Amino acid sequence: MTMSVGWYLRRLSRMGPQEVAGRVGDTVRRRRWRSAPPDCPSVTGARFTAVLPAGTIAAVPADAAKRLVAEADRLMDGHAEFFGVVRDDLADPDWWRDPKTGRRAPSGYAFDVPYRSEDAVGDIKQIWEPSRHQYLTQLAAAYAITGNDRYAERVAEHLRSWWSANPPLRGVHWISGIELGIRLLSWVWIRRLLDGWPGAADLFEGNPVARNQIWHHQRWLAAFPSRGSSANNHVIAEDAGQLAAACAFDWFPASARWRADALRSLERQLRGNTYLSGLNRELATEYHGLVLELGLAAVAEADAAGVQVPATVRLVLLRMTDALAAVVDNRLRPPRQGDADDGHGLIVDGAGTDRWASLLATGEAVFGRLDWWPEVTATDVRTPLLAALVKRTELSVTRPESRPAHFADAGMTILRGPGEIWCRCDGGPHGFLSIAAHAHADALSVEVRHDGVDVLADPGTYCYHGQPEWRQYFRSTLGHNTVQLDGGDQSVSGGPFLWTRHAQTRVLTADPSGEVARWSAEHDGYVGSVHRRKVELTAETQELTLVDEVSGPRLTVRLAFHLGPAITADLVGNRARLTWTRDGEDRSAVLDLPEGLSWQAHRGESEPPLGWYSSGFGRKEPATTLIGTGSTDGTAGFTTVLRFRG
């Protein structure tokens, strides 16, 4: 996917004067670095002191350790999976090759590489992901737990290979700040987890190649921060990685300045990226998890180095943790909202570890749990490691006395009913900052689960680059459980990470408590028309009622309901009987659809895409989508009733 002149003009229109000036300065600096790259200063007497406290590894639960070691053994055999692509070449990886397309990224000066073009580079996410070196943190953690040198030796082999293949400012791995930031964080933890290995010092502080790489990563991050309309989760990763490296690898003349600047930026950006309610402003749940992971890892590093962290940083992370505890369903699954690319801040666990349970367990260890928090029984490796470094601090803050269900600033409302019914109603802003990069055109959409099973599902994300028709579908209005008018989206897309017009949404009613929980909202995304939706969840009858009203001129309307992949639907007329199995038990519901529309079931269609569910980045599977087609006449609404006792 290459960007046209029109895209650059649209992107420029979403920037302010300060951002434009900053990007001009970046361009000048890149040209200067091409002809005169900076040199790493000489270092003598470098030491690594940011080790884990005694007894930390012994606190890792046995089952979590077993999962990790099993994962490490698969990695040692060369087996891994990134974004749905199974690989067996990780014993000796080619750092520039995309296994999905078979293409190798071109060499040369980093900022000349056309990384957005799949024809020239391949799938950039497939190339970048292994080079975050998070699989090496897993191997290093396996060494720390088992003491088996083979894990450490493989880590050392791969780091030396990567450093040799990727000299500073050469090639595809020196393009994106988020990649450099996360990679630095991985290196800090690799060094920490390998501390008992005799070769650790020679691999890092005693190795001029390693020192040169670390210095150039930090110099890069100091020079090219994400700016203005791009200052979303990327800048958090940049700051977290910079802070971690400047604390743990405090070897350079600029370390103190880098550390202070990163901490100052992290404090400002965490506040800027987070609503007062604790939800992430991108309204993309996986980025809530990523930012929370990065923030906790950054605080752990500062605390380990004795660097004072502003109280506001801990307060934001506390609010984010409480918000996560509030919005998960009974199986600890959070909403599926906005973009998701499976990005993690720190990985030291094996396959099968519940990311969200892990975050809540860490939150409990660091901040303390509240009485209304859901119970977390799952175990992980990361929690005892982070908890050993993060200082428990008393914070002057009033935490919620009961479980929040309405987050006014984020426009998210959670309705809960008997039988573990969970319903998310979306009445929030379109996205974060002027480009709303990770937003979907999903105003007034709903997401409904029963005992953790997606019934009315948010289909997910699937891809970012290289497949524009799929990128457009998964972020479109038709790709969500809401109303589409005249075949268009509520918000106007200007590119794969750019929205040039944002629908404005207003919540009218939010009463999630009581025997009948109620919510209603409206948006103005369709010029000249207003879409209003009312949702009621009746506890006694286990019924969810949706009423859609459209005011304005006569328009073609399509109402979409995307079913989860576990749901089988039998559609007859305007009634769909839904069946699925949970824990060996057959379950069912009835979906009565508006009579004024003509209903059709779609599943696994590609031209155009319709009827798909993406469980993770790069993965998709057929799922049933029910589409009702008709027209608005300004006189009546469309009523849908979902009955879990059908």
Side-chain angles (χ1 to χ4, degrees), residues 84-146:
V85 176
V86 176
R87 299 180 59 165
D88 59 6
D89 63 341
L90 217 63
D92 183 21
D94 181 340
W95 301 108
W96 289 14
R97 182 179 181 273
D98 164 29
K100 191 170 79 173
T101 64
R103 297 187 180 97
R104 289 191 87 246
S107 59
Y109 187 55
F111 299 114
D112 291 341
V113 176
Y115 70 96
R116 292 190 179 97
S117 172
E118 188 169 292
D119 290 338
V121 175
D123 186 331
I124 190 62
K125 291 279 289 178
Q126 288 289 343
I127 297 174
W128 276 345
E129 190 68 15
S131 288
R132 290 185 172 188
H133 289 168
Q134 293 176 320
Y135 78 94
L136 295 182
T137 59
Q138 293 173 302
L139 290 176
Y143 165 78
I145 286 172
T146 66

Side-chain angles (χ1 to χ4, degrees), residues 343-359:
H344 290 255
L346 174 65
I347 301 178
V348 288
D349 276 284
T353 302
D354 188 320
R355 176 187 196 174
W356 308 104
S358 173
L359 275 171

Side-chain angles (χ1 to χ4, degrees), residues 512-534:
S513 60
E515 285 299 305
V516 179
R518 295 181 172 87
W519 174 88
S520 65
E522 63 184 19
H523 76 83
D524 65 354
Y526 298 109
V527 178
S529 299
V530 173
H531 173 209
R532 181 178 294 111
R533 168 169 279 183
K534 302 175 184 177

Side-chain angles (χ1 to χ4, degrees), residues 53 76 109 135 150 153 171 186 202 305 357 436 470 549 562 612 638:
M76 291 293 292
Y109 187 55
Y135 78 94
R150 72 189 189 106
E153 290 164 357
S186 294
D202 288 340
W470 291 99
E549 300 172 346
H562 300 264
W612 296 92
F638 306 101

Side-chain angles (χ1 to χ4, degrees), residues 77 145 212 303 560:
D77 290 337
I145 286 172
N212 185 56
D303 284 353

Side-chain angles (χ1 to χ4, degrees), residues 236 239-240 243 262-271 298:
I236 304 294
D239 291 339
L243 177 60
L263 185 56
R264 188 180 308 112
S265 177
L266 181 68
E267 190 274 338
R268 182 176 67 255
Q269 298 296 344
L270 272 176
R271 284 190 289 108

